[in-house]
Amino acid sequence: MPTVPHIEKHFTATENVRDVVIGMADGLTVPFALAAGLSAAVTSTGIIVTAGLAEVAAGAIAMGLGGYLAARTDAEHYAAEEAREGYEIDHLRDREIREIETIFKEYGLRGKALNSVVTAMTSNRQRWIDFMMRFELGLERPNPKRAPISAGTIAASYLVGGLIPLVPYMLTSEINKALQISVGTTAIALLCFGAIKGHFTGVNRFKAAAQTLLVGGLAAGAAYWLAHLFG
Amino acid sequence: MPTVPHIEKHFTATENVRDVVIGMADGLTVPFALAAGLSAAVTSTGIIVTAGLAEVAAGAIAMGLGGYLAARTDAEHYAAEEAREGYEIDHLRDREIREIETIFKEYGLRGKALNSVVTAMTSNRQRWIDFMMRFELGLERPNPKRAPISAGTIAASYLVGGLIPLVPYMLTSEINKALQISVGTTAIALLCFGAIKGHFTGVNRFKAAAQTLLVGGLAAGAAYWLAHLFG
């Protein structure tokens, strides 16, 4: 479909950043919270490391494959909707022309201007489909190479994020000491990640850093409390 | 902004379904994989239940709050981009008019037809902004009530999905028996969830069910193997 160049750029950057954010947001939070929670319930760092690594492996695979399937589903959804629009243009031509008219009427076009834009838009079948895909359904033609890139980016981000809170439990067998170091390093990592995420999403960096730390802290606090209750 | 009625419907349904899918896909997979993994490494179902509940609490809170912040960020991003478009229309009017011209040129409009549509589009400031937001940036005006609904939907879905594989470990103290029941019930839950997800996303239901089972199985297999290695 026809594109204004800077749209493409905008969307590609966003997709990769979004995948890193998806993976790392959960990777930094859930394994950290699990390890903190187990610190209240078990007596050996070995179990925490085992549970943590099992969680990181499961999370990275589940989220990575989830991202792979989501990208594939987007591509299939686009193809299915494109075929449907094409069918409607071929078989329900009058209705589709009225849809185009309705869209431009809502932006204030009337009379000759409306007629000429509708005539131009509907004179080329592929362009007509492209316009309806983009405007009516809000769909961009997906990048066919997206799925494996998305899967790898999400899984790697989860893995990196998830290992940060676990390393302290690997280095010492004193649970309380490991917990303290894990809390400290993960808090710093959450603040940095939040600030970087804020930079890319256009949110104030300090606010984004504080929010990210809060989410991690609440999740870990709840896990700790629950594990303490049952442990 | 002006909308064609069925777009709204399309998007609202998609947002809620998407949130349930986000929460339940991870909820059914990660706690299941963690419990299966720990079955290979520990000798008491108590530790598995404790770790599982800690994970479910942490995951539900982290993903729910993540969804809350994402919806808030979407709303802030929309407001910031809308302000920017408004500024550009006020201060870089010629460049913005050329952008509108370029868009319609790519759909084949020329001469008088192009002039009249550009004149009509640029005659009302708010309509002009709305068109650029939707067409150039692909942004829908977000629902201001989205954030808490999204958070609750994701967290509840994660909780429901995550408890299914854990219940067997609560009912029996024999790890292998609990693991077998957990594998069976979670497999059925993954198949049902996959089929329902396929129904809503327009993917073939059997294919979606098989894919979802495969993701859960791979994640659990990796967690089991890793826990076995370290346990």
Side-chain angles (χ1 to χ4, degrees), chain B residues 136-196:
Chain B
E136 192 195 30
L137 301 172
L139 295 175
E140 293 276 320
R141 186 181 294 281
N143 178 350
K145 290 174 188 156
R146 188 74 222 138
I149 297 172
S150 186
T153 310
I154 294 174
S157 306
Y158 193 93
L159 208 67
V160 171
L163 287 178
I164 293 173
L166 294 183
V167 168
Y169 296 92
M170 296 176 191
L171 299 179
T172 172
S173 59
E174 289 175 50
I175 288 194
N176 279 332
K177 200 175 160 193
L179 174 62
Q180 283 166 17
I181 302 173
S182 177
V183 167
T185 49
T186 310
I188 294 168
L190 284 167
L191 284 171
C192 295
F193 166 67
I196 295 167

Side-chain angles (χ1 to χ4, degrees), chain A residues 5-62:
Chain A
H6 77 272
I7 295 179
E8 281 292 357
K9 202 176 145 228
H10 175 77
F11 268 77
T12 311
T14 302
E15 279 177 339
N16 286 328
V17 169
R18 197 203 57 191
D19 286 342
V20 171
V21 167
I22 287 174
M24 199 159 278
D26 280 25
L28 271 173
T29 313
V30 184
F32 164 59
L34 174 67
L38 285 178
S39 299
V42 303
T43 51
S44 137
T45 52
I47 291 177
I48 297 177
V49 172
T50 303
L53 289 178
E55 209 283 342
V56 169
I61 290 174

Side-chain angles (χ1 to χ4, degrees), chain A residues 73-92:
Chain A
T73 302
D74 280 354
E76 285 164 14
H77 180 58
Y78 190 91
E81 291 288 346
E82 189 174 33
R84 198 176 60 82
E85 279 299 334
Y87 176 89
E88 288 179 358
I89 283 173
D90 295 337
H91 296 89
L92 302 162

